[in-house]
Amino acid sequence: MIANWQRHVRSSPRAQDTTTALLLFAVSFPGSLYVATGSPDPAAPWWTAALLSCVSCAALLFHRDHPRSALVLTTAAAVTSAAQGRLLTVLSLGPLMVALYSFALRTEHNALRRSYALGVAALLMTTELIAGPADRPLDLKTVGPAAWVLMPTALGSAVRLRRAYLDAIRARAEHAERTREEEARRRVAEERLRIARELHDVTAQHLALANAQAGTLAHLLRGQPDQVHKILADLATTTSAALRELNATVGLLRHEDTEKAEDTEDTEDTEGASSPTAPGLARLADLTASFRSAGLDVTVSTEGEPRQLTPAADLTAFRIVQEALTNVTKHAAAETARVRLAYSHDRLTLTVADEGGTVGSAPPTPPVPGGGFGLVGMRERAQSMGGRLRAGPRPGGGFEVRAELPLGETALTIRESALAIRSRPGAKPPSAARPSST
């Protein structure tokens, strides 16, 4: 029976308040009958003390929902008891102390808590000084009531601050957990986007080149059969290179989860450099040679002093040139294309241009929705390095792709700024769903 009552009290706030009120009445009523030694008995009968204790304890039944009303009633009962000449002891002030603690615990404003506590203390001391027996010691009229009033207020404020501190710690922990999950999702999305770009660049370039070589082969079979063997060799080289780069890119998906977590940050700084077969500008000659076998004569010119590029910048520059030349092969009727590499102290400027129109000598057409992701991929690659890319028809005919990539300290500064912006909560990785031409 007692165990069931204890469980009910723990689970029910109303039962807790009722139990507290009954216990306080059991001590506050006898405590309100005390008088100081040598002081005359109060003129009020004993039942008034019982009535005041009952009112004070009953007010505690709704102190959770109405702490200010409970404080007002218990204060009024304590002041009335002091006005009748009764001694204010810790027992008689028990309900008032509980009401002060509850009020301090549930009131947000510090100034309001202090005002009420000081007001109650001043009211009790004033009542004692005016209505209390003249021979009662001064400390019982002033220090005692003030201490019993200010102590529960300070305790309630301290408990409130501690709860607020724990809530803040819990909120920060939850925010950190959410941020960590969002960061993990962002990194996964960026990794998927990076691999998607690599797959697109590998398959689009090599398949387009293989298609052009197959077309050239069909043409030579009719008029120049002696050159067929060379085109076949180039076609085999193209397909082998495509398979090799495709395997290297898809191999990134087979890493262990721990290796992915450790390599994610390195991937952001050296995008695409995690693969030992990642191409760069050092393979530009092989790239242009493969396009020559498909009927596109590519010339490469360099301006300024060539500088050592980071693996990420080297791969980005190579992929932009590769994709631009692939677009020329697929969409233009040009037989020549120019690649210009211009180095300055803080940036590398890539220009890929052709002088021919689209097939059939028709004017260049803008990208159509859903037409592909070639320009999107090039632009995202340039932006990932803190650079920019512009592409469009040339005034004199043909098409031009121009990319500017920062180098040296400028690249590091811009790269760190971009990573800081992307790591903010709510930041979204670049979307690959925007339309462009391939």
Side-chain angles (χ1 to χ4, degrees), residues 191 194 252 255 263 267 270-278:
E191 182 68 8
R194 186 184 70 82
L252 296 176
H255 286 175
D263 294 341
T267 301
T270 58
E271 185 174 347
S274 57
S275 173
T277 60

Side-chain angles (χ1 to χ4, degrees), residues 230-255:
K230 181 178 182 303
I231 299 299
L232 285 175
D234 292 339
L235 182 58
T237 301
T238 300
T239 55
S240 298
L243 290 175
R244 186 169 55 254
E245 291 195 31
L246 189 61
N247 288 333
T249 303
V250 175
L252 296 176
L253 298 174
R254 299 193 178 101
H255 286 175

Side-chain angles (χ1 to χ4, degrees), residues 39-58:
S39 299
D41 292 337
W46 64 269
W47 59 267
T48 58
L51 179 61
L52 292 175
S53 297
C54 183
V55 170
S56 296
C57 295

Side-chain angles (χ1 to χ4, degrees), residues 332-403:
E335 297 181 354
T336 61
R338 298 192 310 275
V339 178
R340 183 171 67 92
L341 308 178
Y343 292 89
S344 62
H345 71 284
D346 63 345
R347 66 184 58 248
L348 167 64
T349 302
L350 295 171
T351 305
V352 181
D354 66 87
E355 296 180 353
T358 55
V359 176
S361 300
T365 57
V368 294
F373 307 109
L375 294 180
V376 170
M378 288 190 289
R379 185 171 291 109
E380 287 177 347
R381 284 186 179 277
Q383 291 175 350
S384 70
M385 296 303 302
R388 58 182 180 177
L389 182 138
R390 291 176 295 178
R394 301 173 67 241
F399 200 82
E400 180 181 87
V401 174
R402 180 185 178 90

Side-chain angles (χ1 to χ4, degrees), residues 58-116:
L60 298 179
L61 296 176
F62 51 87
H63 75 97
R64 297 177 186 271
D65 298 328
H66 306 282
R68 188 176 305 183
S69 299
L71 178 57
V72 169
L73 287 177
T74 53
T75 301
V79 170
T80 303
S81 179
Q84 293 176 352
R86 303 184 186 280
L87 181 63
L88 297 179
T89 64
V90 65
L91 296 178
S92 63
L93 292 177
L96 175 60
M97 295 173 66
V98 174
L100 283 168
Y101 173 82
S102 178
F103 179 77
L105 187 64
R106 291 172 173 80
T107 303
E108 297 182 359
H109 303 290
N110 294 330
L112 190 60
R113 293 197 297 267
R114 289 194 297 266
S115 300
Y116 268 80

Side-chain angles (χ1 to χ4, degrees), residues 275-340:
S275 173
T277 60
L281 292 180
R283 292 174 54 182
L284 193 57
D286 296 336
L287 179 66
T288 56
S290 64
F291 279 99
R292 290 190 186 98
S293 66
L296 180 65
D297 187 17
V298 183
T299 59
V300 180
S301 61
T302 303
E303 299 179 5
E305 184 66 23
R307 300 178 57 183
Q308 183 68 30
L309 304 178
T310 63
D314 202 18
L315 174 65
T316 298
F318 179 85
R319 290 302 191 196
I320 290 176
V321 174
Q322 180 186 56
E323 181 62 32
L325 292 178
T326 301
N327 285 346
V328 174
T329 304
K330 293 178 62 177
H331 302 298
E335 297 181 354
T336 61
R338 298 192 310 275
V339 178
R340 183 171 67 92

